[in-house]
Amino acid sequence: LRDLLRQLYLENQLASKDILYILNKVDDSNKEILFNYAEKTVLKTYQKKVYLRALLEFSNYCRNNCYYCGIRNNNREIKRYRLSVKKIIKCCLLAYQHGYRTFVLQSGEDDFFKEDILIKLLQRLKSNHPEAAITLSIGEYPYKSYQRFYQAGADRFLLRHESISKELYKKYHPDMSYSRRLQCLKNLKKIGYQVGAGFIVGLPGQTNKILTEELLFLKKLNPDMVGIGPLIPHPKTPLAGSQTGSVDKTLLLLSLIRLLLPETLLPVTTAVNTLDKKGWEKGLKAGANVIMPVISPAISRGKYEIYQNKGNTDVSNLSEIKKRVERSGFKIDMSRGDSLKCLKTK
Ligand code: 5AD
């Protein structure tokens, strides 16, 4: 195990059977070796910088029915909301005034937000804040729409592929297409976005073999960002009562992703911090370098319930984040924080 971890650290790649071996063998007695290599790697590429993103959940309407997600269309027991363009612009201004230079606009796949209204929103945001980065996390759209969003000012796009196993994808995403999802990621890359992919940790049926495929898929895709997080079963979904995904396993996977993709931007996602009070700290120690505080306004609080007990951060409350990051040995960086990969190709 030690030899393989060292090889992975030195070469940033590894054969499938060796990754599987690591996933099978790594445990509490030896995981620190992995975490140390991952931390050393992130310090080499991004130094001690931890980037902050203001995450704004602007609509919880969704046409899809993902088996794990509380805002799935069939869940009639949550209150739906959607913020107006005016309100979204106001929230971003507030985030800007508090120092944020990346706005992540996230929503369910909401048919209300058609191309035109999103373009209007993006153009206004871009002209208000030309030096800020805009990240979309709004799901699947046709190639042409992605292209227009990009032209209107969107810089980055998060679209988790959720599961690289065709079988699991089909099982947990009724009426969605595995190949279309992956095609969307390719389209986004081709258009020029900084692209984020990622998967859920601990979906029932997910084996170490599938996780090996996840890691190799990410290595090949080489995205600018990777978002992963543990499954938190929502009581009003078909996966209610399933086992919660493991934070420890997520941390191991974060480290492996850092070693395979030294330059990727890797957030400690909200799900990790929801399950573990020290989630941010542990994630940073495992090679992550991004934190995405949820800054959604009061009217949406508690309603963007993809899982329960999801934390919110007051947009003005940077001091606690700062304290936690600094105690872990890192420094908040409030700049746009583009991916190194994209800066090199510019
Ligand atoms: N538990 C964990 N992650 C979830 N997501 C959605 N619902 C859940 C859940 N119950 C993740 C999906 C989605 C991202 C925004 O949140 O991976 O892409």
Side-chain angles (χ1 to χ4, degrees):
L1 182 74
R2 272 174 190 274
D3 289 345
L4 286 179
L5 291 175
R6 188 173 154 74
Q7 188 186 343
L8 177 58
Y9 169 65
L10 294 173
E11 295 174 9
N12 306 119
Q13 57 183 341
L14 215 52
S16 161
K17 67 170 184 1
D18 295 332
I19 294 179
L20 182 59
Y21 183 90
I22 293 177
L23 286 170
N24 286 332
K25 285 286 166 327
V26 72
D27 59 26
D28 285 348
S29 73
N30 50 38
K31 65 182 186 191
E32 291 304 324
I33 311 171
L34 171 59
F35 291 158
N36 286 338
Y37 279 139
E39 195 180 356
K40 256 188 152 132
T41 303
V42 79
L43 288 175
K44 254 195 297 189
T45 45
Y46 285 99
Q47 296 77 47
K48 294 183 172 183
K49 292 177 224 166
V50 171
Y51 299 109
L52 291 198
R53 321 298 196 196
L55 177 56
L56 179 59
E57 302 152 331
F58 66 90
S59 163
N60 69 351
Y61 283 87
C62 190
R63 76 175 85 96
N64 294 325
N65 268 303
C66 305
Y67 266 39
Y68 40 82
C69 185
I71 68 169
R72 66 204 305 272
N73 191 275
N74 288 351
N75 183 9
R76 298 284 135 88
E77 295 183 48
I78 58 163
K79 285 218 171 72
R80 302 284 170 173
Y81 73 91
R82 134 181 336 125
L83 304 185
S84 65
V85 166
K86 206 170 147 196
K87 182 80 182 173
I88 298 172
I89 289 173
K90 204 174 139 198
C91 290
C92 288
L93 174 62
L94 203 62
Y96 185 91
Q97 287 165 339
H98 284 97
Y100 287 96
R101 291 298 178 268
T102 294
F103 314 129
V104 182
L105 306 180
Q106 187 173 87
S107 69
E109 293 200 2
D110 180 357
D111 293 323
F112 174 85
F113 284 96
K114 301 213 189 321
E115 220 180 278
D116 289 353
I117 181 165
L118 283 168
I119 287 172
K120 188 172 90 180
L121 169 66
L122 290 165
Q123 286 170 340
R124 288 210 193 145
L125 277 178
K126 209 57 183 187
S127 79
N128 290 354
H129 313 291
E131 70 283 40
I134 306 175
T135 306
L136 293 175
S137 178
I138 56 176
E140 298 177 18
Y141 280 82
Y143 188 94
K144 276 253 146 49
S145 309
Y146 281 157
Q147 211 169 23
R148 293 195 179 117
F149 299 155
Y150 187 75
Q151 283 157 0
D155 304 278
R156 309 179 186 144
F157 206 107
L158 305 177
L159 184 79
R160 291 194 186 174
H161 60 280
E162 311 296 359
S163 175
I164 201 58
S165 150
K166 209 182 262 176
E167 201 189 319
L168 292 187
Y169 189 89
K170 281 198 175 141
K171 192 166 168 186
Y172 297 131
H173 304 90
D175 306 322
M176 289 178 75
S177 154
Y178 174 84
S179 58
R180 191 178 59 211
R181 190 104 185 148
L182 298 182
Q183 187 60 48
C184 280
L185 281 171
K186 287 189 194 131
N187 292 348
L188 291 163
K189 267 187 94 161
K190 186 162 171 216
I191 291 165
Y193 284 95
Q194 296 176 54
V195 174
F199 58 91
I200 298 186
V201 179
L203 282 173
Q206 187 182 63
T207 57
N208 280 344
K209 188 161 167 286
I210 291 175
L211 288 173
T212 304
E213 286 163 20
E214 292 291 2
L215 295 173
L216 289 173
F217 166 72
L218 288 174
K219 175 73 187 173
K220 193 163 153 226
L221 181 72
N222 191 19
D224 301 276
M225 307 165 278
V226 176
I228 66 164
L231 171 72
I232 308 180
H234 188 287
K236 301 294 174 196
T237 65
L239 287 188
S242 294
Q243 209 173 1
T244 301
S246 151
V247 170
D248 284 340
K249 187 83 172 203
T250 305
L251 295 170
L252 297 177
L253 289 162
L254 283 173
S255 290
L256 291 169
I257 293 166
R258 171 56 67 211
L259 291 170
L260 287 165
L261 298 167
E263 300 194 339
T264 205
L265 290 159
L266 193 57
V268 197
T269 53
T270 317
V272 173
N273 205 54
T274 299
L275 291 179
D276 190 321
K277 268 195 293 206
K278 293 264 172 229
W280 287 344
E281 290 82 347
K282 290 182 185 175
L284 297 177
K285 284 289 180 196
N289 66 334
V290 173
I291 288 177
M292 301 167 72
V294 180
I295 57 116
S296 303
I299 49 163
S300 63
R301 294 269 156 110
K303 295 202 189 94
Y304 197 81
E305 203 184 86
I306 54 178
Y307 44 82
Q308 290 186 320
N309 307 315
K310 198 162 57 62
N312 261 83
T313 309
D314 196 285
V315 65
S316 65
N317 186 12
L318 276 170
S319 66
E320 195 210 327
I321 302 172
K322 193 160 175 251
K323 206 160 57 191
R324 289 178 64 182
V325 166
E326 285 176 1
R327 277 206 204 124
S328 311
F330 295 85
K331 276 205 185 84
I332 297 279
D333 188 310
M334 293 303 279
S335 66
R336 274 172 60 115
D338 287 298
S339 94
L340 287 180
K341 201 187 105 200
C342 107
L343 291 175
K344 277 181 194 160
T345 52
K346 258 185 189 158

